[in-house]
Amino acid sequence: MSLRIEALHKSFGATPALRDLSLDVPARSFVAILGGSGSGKSTLLRIIAGFETADAGRIMLGGQDIAPLPPRLRPCAMMFQSYALFPHFSVHENIAYGLRRAGTYQAARVQELLALVGLAGLDSRRPAQLSGGQQQRVALARALARKPPLLLLDEPLAALDAGLRAATGAELRRLQRETGTTFLMVTHDQQEALGLADLVAILHGGRVAQIGPPQQVYARPATRFVAEFLGAANIIGNHALRPENIRLDTTGTVSAHVLRAGFRGETWLLECRAADGTALRVALPAGAPPPPEGSAVMLSWDAAAMVPLGA
């Protein structure tokens, strides 16, 4: 089911959190909302869920304005960052909770969900007997129990350690594809957003600064803010240049010296200073040692790699 946010506005006292924000979320898609602290991403999710009330605007889900509806009547579910599992309930009882409240409980549906999230056979365990990743799966199964057309996810991987994040993220992606549910996920993790979502919406100052496929928003940032926020970018005049598009080239036309080199796992990130004073960051494969700090280098890049920026 598609979601359309139209001119949403929300202020807390004199402080605006959302400013005439509009957003289209296609049906059966996985969309990530990415933004810094105070950008409005969590407020947006809570307004869609009905836990906050917008000052103005519409929330159209499948063509129906759900803004006037209380949370329990909205055809969506929300998975919280803390998971919010009932500690005294078993896994089965936690997943069945929403079904029982709606009068649609069926044990077979709970078993289907347990199998879907890879927890078959763990029905009787309590949350304290589960790993963090397993608790996350219980919360996800509970959120999907009533087959909501829209699932809202608030930092769903934030409580997991680094070793589990990638695998659990892949599970989220698989479940979204298998169920056909529209996923709208708020995250502060750029790699998470770029790696999981069909579309990434970047919020800034309560508005959508840019939305598009991950490759597009990364490679073709629309504004200086997006270029600087998403990954590392060199701003040269009114253009952006990604570090991986700069080459060390003995025949290059830009002379610079290396200030420092930082190891990033798959790459080295060089911080350089060009002869005209321009700061440049250069990404190099990690297989070879970088030039030593203080050394002179020549740099080059293709003109097509320079992306013009808006305001």
Side-chain angles (χ1 to χ4, degrees), residues 42 44 113 117 124 140 144 221 226 231 285 304:
S42 294
L44 173 61
L113 288 159
V117 299
S124 61
L140 185 59
L144 292 169
V226 174

Side-chain angles (χ1 to χ4, degrees), residues 53-281:
T53 302
D55 300 327
R58 299 201 302 171
I59 307 167
M60 307 297 294
L61 184 58
Q64 176 192 9
D65 186 4
I66 64 172
L69 300 178
R72 62 184 179 84
L73 295 181
R74 298 191 181 195
C76 61
M78 186 164 178
M79 180 178 160
F80 297 93
Q81 179 179 339
S82 64
Y83 308 148
L85 299 177
F86 298 110
H88 56 292
F89 280 6
S90 67
V91 167
H92 186 107
E93 291 166 336
N94 265 285
I95 295 173
Y97 179 77
L99 296 172
R100 292 189 190 279
R101 291 194 65 187
T104 58
Y105 168 75
Q106 290 182 330
R109 175 59 179 160
V110 177
Q111 294 303 316
E112 176 187 340
L113 288 159
L114 285 166
L116 182 69
V117 299
L119 294 178
L122 301 184
D123 315 42
S124 61
R125 292 195 185 181
R126 299 289 178 88
Q129 297 174 300
L130 303 176
S131 68
Q134 290 171 328
Q135 290 181 33
Q136 196 254 20
R137 293 183 183 199
V138 174
L140 185 59
R142 184 178 62 184
L144 292 169
R146 296 177 62 186
K147 300 182 179 180
L150 172 66
L151 179 60
L152 308 172
L153 301 109
D154 182 16
E155 300 275 5
L157 307 179
L160 302 179
D161 60 45
L164 280 175
R165 289 176 76 97
T168 308
E171 280 294 296
L172 278 181
R173 178 77 179 186
R174 176 185 67 81
L175 288 168
Q176 190 275 323
R177 290 291 185 260
E178 288 189 11
T179 62
T181 305
T182 303
F183 276 25
L184 184 61
M185 176 183 75
V186 157
T187 181
H188 70 278
D189 189 302
Q190 298 183 11
Q191 295 306 312
E192 192 173 289
L194 295 173
L196 297 179
D198 300 309
L199 297 172
V200 175
I202 300 170
L203 266 57
H204 178 53
R207 295 187 174 96
V208 176
Q210 186 173 356
I211 182 171
Q215 302 91 332
Q216 178 182 312
V217 295
Y218 180 82
R220 310 295 297 181
T223 67
R224 181 182 182 121
F225 170 79
V226 174
E228 293 180 324
F229 177 78
L230 199 61
N234 298 295
I235 306 299
I236 303 174
N238 63 343
H239 289 74
L241 179 65
R242 293 292 183 191
E244 61 268 26
N245 292 326
I246 301 179
R247 301 182 296 272
L248 292 182
D249 186 348
T250 56
T251 63
T253 57
V254 176
S255 61
H257 67 275
V258 178
L259 300 177
R260 63 189 60 87
F263 183 62
R264 300 297 180 91
E266 296 179 355
T267 61
W268 287 96
L269 187 66
L270 303 187
E271 295 183 29
C272 301
R273 180 78 63 187
D276 65 359
T278 301
L280 293 171
R281 288 176 287 185

